[in-house]
């Protein structure tokens, strides 16, 4: 009787976990502008683009500019699925309001020189993404991990069971975690820090934390998990839904 009850509770817990996972398709879009045209791009997004995105069923997640790179905008959108994404962008591109805005904004010259797009799925341990505005100014850090072959599941397990809690312990705010569509070796995530200096100090403390060292060593008994880590510090735009 107890065994049956325990099995039922475990199945119930698994169902709750599955339902809690965000199943939307996410897209990171990186815009490189022509020299000196970033402000024109930000103005277009602030006054028009984000609203037209919403009009066509796209969800604005966040908009950031790197602290140490010029002429670059990084933002994330969410959609119900890939079909909805493709339909939304097709409608957006043909929207007379957008065509008018784009044409008028480019009277003085082209704004965007290159666009990169990355499709992503939320991990089962990613916090629920919601609009937020900190009372104090903060910076965001976009981190991309590329794993050694076959090691992504082990990396995800380490984050799920240990890393997120340790980040929080050291004053880092977990914003979102994603895997990349079509790649079995990539984890992308965003943290928030009071400042870039605070973020770097937090990581210094994290790296020597005995709990982290223990978790890292245990997870890498069969080989190192990550072979490359990339970090970009960013500030939220004034129209970002996450600040």
């Amino acid at each position: 009787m107890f065994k049956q009850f325990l099995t039922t509770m475990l199945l119930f817990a698994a169902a709750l976990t599955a339902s809690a996972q965000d199943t939307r398709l996410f897209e990171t879009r990186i815009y490189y502008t022509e020299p000196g045209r970033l402000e024109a791009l930000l103005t277009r997004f602030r006054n028009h683009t984000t609203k037209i995105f919403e009009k066509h069923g796209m969800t604005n997640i966040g908009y950031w500019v790197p602290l140490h790179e010029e002429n670059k905008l990084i933002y994330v959108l969410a959609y119900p699925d890939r079909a909805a994404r493709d339909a939304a962008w097709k409608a957006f591109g043909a929207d007379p309001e957008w065509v008018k805005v784009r044409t008028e904004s480019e009277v003085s010259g082209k704004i965007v020189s290159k666009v990169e797009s990355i499709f992503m799925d939320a991990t089962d341990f990613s916090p629920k993404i919601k609009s937020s505005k900190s009372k104090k100014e903060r910076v965001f850090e976009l981190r991309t991990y590329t794993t050694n072959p076959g090691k992504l599941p082990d990396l995800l397990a380490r984050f799920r069971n240990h890393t997120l809690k340790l980040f929080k312990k050291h004053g880092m705010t977990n914003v979102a975690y994603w895997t990349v569509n079509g790649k079995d070796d990539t984890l992308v995530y965003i943290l928030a820090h009071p400042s870039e200096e605070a973020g770097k100090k937090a990581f210094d403390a994290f790296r020597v934390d005995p709990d982290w060292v223990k978790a890292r060593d245990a997870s890498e008994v069969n080989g190192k998990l990550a072979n490359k880590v990339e970090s970009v510090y960013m500030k939220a735009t004034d129209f970002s839904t996450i600040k």
Side-chain angles (χ1 to χ4, degrees):
M1 188 72 175
F2 176 75
K3 185 176 181 181
Q4 183 179 4
F5 172 76
L6 183 60
T7 300
T8 301
M9 292 305 293
L10 288 172
L11 290 173
F12 179 68
L16 284 177
T17 301
S19 64
Q21 185 172 354
D22 195 332
T23 59
R24 293 178 295 175
L25 172 71
F26 292 86
E27 182 180 10
T28 293
R29 294 178 65 84
I30 304 171
Y31 283 21
Y32 299 83
T33 71
E34 297 291 343
R37 298 290 276 160
L38 179 61
E39 284 305 318
L41 179 66
L42 296 180
T43 297
R44 189 167 75 186
F45 269 88
R46 179 186 303 110
N47 297 338
H48 306 284
T49 312
T50 57
K51 300 179 184 68
I52 303 176
F53 280 169
E54 292 283 357
K55 172 183 174 182
H56 292 288
M58 309 184 208
T59 300
N60 295 295
I61 299 298
Y63 291 80
W64 301 273
V65 291
L67 295 183
H68 305 297
E69 296 178 75
E70 297 181 350
N71 303 313
K72 192 173 183 179
L73 171 67
I74 300 171
Y75 68 98
V76 178
L77 298 173
Y79 321 89
D81 52 38
R82 183 58 186 265
R85 181 267 178 199
D86 292 346
W89 274 97
K90 183 177 180 180
F92 169 81
D95 189 315
E97 180 183 3
W98 162 245
V99 173
K100 181 175 183 291
V101 166
R102 182 193 62 206
T103 302
E104 291 178 350
S105 67
E106 295 183 346
V107 168
S108 299
K110 188 179 178 182
I111 293 178
V112 178
S113 63
K114 185 174 71 170
V115 176
E116 294 177 355
S117 175
I118 303 168
F119 294 106
M120 312 178 299
D121 297 309
T123 66
D124 60 354
F125 53 82
S126 181
K128 182 178 180 180
I129 301 173
K130 55 186 177 181
S131 297
S132 63
K133 184 177 181 180
S134 175
K135 293 180 180 178
K136 295 183 179 180
E137 187 174 340
R138 58 182 180 170
V139 302
F140 295 82
E141 185 181 6
L142 175 66
R143 295 176 66 85
T144 303
Y145 284 22
T146 303
T147 70
N148 286 308
K151 294 296 186 179
L152 182 60
D154 292 333
L155 181 69
L156 297 180
R158 189 169 73 189
F159 269 84
R160 181 187 301 110
N161 299 329
H162 305 285
T163 311
L164 267 71
K165 300 180 187 71
L166 291 170
F167 280 171
K168 186 176 180 180
K169 172 183 175 181
H170 291 284
M172 308 183 218
T173 300
N174 296 296
V175 177
Y177 289 78
W178 300 281
T179 54
V180 176
N181 285 191
K183 290 189 175 183
D184 59 3
D185 65 353
T186 308
L187 172 67
V188 177
Y189 65 98
I190 296 177
L191 299 173
H193 311 284
S195 66
E196 181 178 0
E197 181 183 11
K200 290 179 178 179
K201 285 184 177 180
F203 264 105
D204 286 342
F206 164 80
R207 292 186 184 100
V208 297
D209 187 315
D211 290 336
W212 160 245
V213 174
K214 181 181 178 182
R216 181 199 62 203
D217 290 349
S219 68
E220 296 187 343
V221 291
N222 294 317
K224 189 176 180 181
L225 305 187
N227 66 25
K228 183 170 69 172
V229 177
E230 299 169 273
S231 169
V232 178
Y233 277 91
M234 316 177 294
K235 64 178 180 180
T237 66
D238 59 333
F239 53 85
S240 180
T241 53
I242 299 175
K243 299 178 184 177

